Amino acid sequence: MSRQTPDYGLDAPVAVRWIFIAGLAGAIAGFFLLRWTVTRHAGLLVGLAYAVQIFGFFCLTVASLMFASSRFGKFHARDRLLARLKLRGDEAVLDVGCGHGLLLIAAAKLLPRGRATGIDLWSQVDQSDNSREATLRNATLEGVAQRVRVRDGDMRKMPFADRSFDATVAHFAIHNVRSREGCREAIREIVRTLNHDGQVAISDLHGVELYADELRKSDMTEVEISGLSFWTFPPARTVTARKPKHPVG
Ligand SMILES: C[S@@+](CC[C@H](N)C(=O)[O-])C[C@H]1O[C@@H](n2cnc3c(N)ncnc32)[C@H](O)[C@@H]1O
């Protein structure tokens, strides 16, 4: 039977799984080690048993927070990020590294006369069951399929003409490009494909200073970095910027 409710995927599924397994193993091993050492009055080993158990509970907490972030928190983060753009409703919006369409689809709902485009290369490490089909299915289930487009591609070399979009967003996507130069390339592509007076809002768990630096070097104005938001785990910051109304120089 096909799924009838939208599914926006679990972020970093491999990391969540391994942190959870390590946590469970630590908590259980610590429990038994503690029982064994306490009955034998093995002083130093009692300390080790406590350390193993604390490590286990720490990992279980981290895995739970990451899971909760994907299932609940990121929807709040999405709404706050889109609210920053103050969209009129007729814009062309790009979601870079759209995954299952978290921002893409929410943006499309705010664009009765516009359109939302997502680009992704569908990494299974970065998000569970990631595919263009899953994203388009979500768009259909959310009633915005008519206003949503999805392209396969790498954010470092996007298949879009210059100045194609009025606003560009990215959520927990650019840090997945491992090299700093790769992240800078992605930012330059975002600027290239952005219309004059267009806006950018990028949320990420790290790297926002680098993105802000590249945005400034690319002549973007009003470059600002928000404080930490704890709706997601790890917590994230958002960098916003605007392209000048007229070409610089
Ligand atoms: C953690 S997921 C976040 C997805 C979505 N933005 C969200 O918040 O739910 C990161 C996404 O970035 C995509 N991605 C990673 N590297 C990419 C690249 N070089 N070009 C395009 N997309 C990329 C992954 O495939 C994945 O869908």
Side-chain angles (χ1 to χ4, degrees), residues 64-116:
S64 306
L65 287 172
M66 289 175 82
F67 184 82
S69 167
S70 282
R71 292 295 177 224
F72 312 107
K74 73 178 181 181
F75 297 94
H76 289 278
R78 168 198 70 187
D79 295 343
R80 289 163 71 97
L81 186 147
L82 287 175
R84 288 171 186 274
L85 297 177
K86 298 188 178 65
L87 295 168
R88 291 182 310 267
D90 60 354
E91 293 93 338
V93 174
L94 173 65
D95 181 5
V96 174
C98 61
H100 283 67
L102 181 74
L103 276 85
L104 175 72
I105 290 167
K109 288 183 179 178
L110 299 172
L111 298 169
R113 301 173 305 284
R115 67 187 155 83

Side-chain angles (χ1 to χ4, degrees), residues 44-232:
L44 253 184
L45 280 179
V46 176
L48 177 70
Y50 273 122
V52 170
Q53 209 168 32
I54 289 168
F55 170 77
F57 283 123
F58 175 75
C59 288
L60 284 178
T61 306
V62 168
S64 306
L65 287 172
M66 289 175 82
F67 184 82
S69 167
S70 282
R71 292 295 177 224
F72 312 107
K74 73 178 181 181
F75 297 94
H76 289 278
R78 168 198 70 187
D79 295 343
R80 289 163 71 97
L81 186 147
L82 287 175
R84 288 171 186 274
L85 297 177
K86 298 188 178 65
L87 295 168
R88 291 182 310 267
D90 60 354
E91 293 93 338
V93 174
L94 173 65
D95 181 5
V96 174
C98 61
H100 283 67
L102 181 74
L103 276 85
L104 175 72
I105 290 167
K109 288 183 179 178
L110 299 172
L111 298 169
R113 301 173 305 284
R115 67 187 155 83
T117 303
I119 180 169
D120 207 297
L121 44 64
W122 317 115
S123 156
Q124 302 300 316
V125 176
D126 299 337
Q127 199 164 68
S128 60
D129 304 323
N130 206 4
S131 70
R132 79 184 338 262
E133 292 73 25
T135 307
L136 291 173
R137 187 167 58 239
N138 280 345
T140 302
L141 288 170
E142 297 273 20
V144 291
Q146 299 292 333
R147 306 200 289 277
V148 164
R149 303 277 178 277
V150 177
R151 292 287 295 267
D152 301 343
D154 191 318
M155 63 176 86
R156 289 166 292 185
K157 198 164 174 40
M158 295 203 260
F160 305 117
D162 297 357
R163 299 182 296 283
S164 298
F165 303 100
D166 304 304
T168 297
V169 291
H171 184 254
F172 279 37
I174 300 178
H175 77 272
N176 291 299
V177 175
R178 300 284 170 216
S179 72
R180 289 171 67 85
E181 182 47 33
C183 291
R184 287 187 183 277
E185 276 177 65
I187 297 294
R188 289 196 290 272
E189 279 294 87
I190 286 172
V191 175
R192 177 185 69 77
T193 54
L194 191 66
N195 218 339
H196 294 302
D197 205 28
Q199 311 172 71
V200 170
I202 302 167
S203 280
D204 223 328
L205 48 101
H206 60 80
V208 287
E209 287 89 358
L210 181 77
Y211 312 156
D213 181 58
E214 193 57 40
L215 286 166
R216 288 192 190 98
K217 284 183 176 153
S218 305
D219 296 325
M220 294 285 283
T221 62
E222 302 171 32
V223 180
E224 283 172 20
I225 299 177
S226 75
L228 268 182
S229 161
F230 292 91
W231 280 112
T232 55

